[in-house]
Amino acid sequence: MQNNQSELDNFSSGWAVYELTGDFEMDTHSSGQHRYLNQSLLVWQRVGQP
C-alpha cells in the first residue's frame, strides 16, 4: 500500500466499497472464514459517498 500511496491519493484517498455485477453465492467460494471471487466481475457502482 505504501508503494502506491500517490495512486491512492489520486484515486480515492484510501479505501472504497464497490458493487460488482454477478451473484454472491454463485460467483464466490469459501476458504476458511473468508469468501473469494471465482471469476472476474465488472464494477457496477461505488457504494456511499466519496
Side-chain angles (χ1 to χ4, degrees):
M1 295 293 297
Q2 291 175 346
N3 292 342
N4 296 320
Q5 190 60 50
S6 62
E7 260 185 64
L8 289 173
D9 290 343
N10 291 333
F11 181 67
S12 66
S13 298
W15 295 95
V17 176
Y18 293 88
E19 181 180 352
L20 303 177
T21 60
D23 180 276
F24 183 78
E25 293 299 322
M26 293 175 43
D27 298 330
T28 63
H29 71 275
S30 294
S31 180
Q33 296 180 359
H34 302 283
R35 293 195 63 95
Y36 299 93
L37 291 173
N38 58 23
Q39 63 179 321
S40 296
L41 299 174
L42 297 174
V43 174
W44 184 253
Q45 64 183 347
R46 184 177 178 153
V47 176
Q49 298 298 320

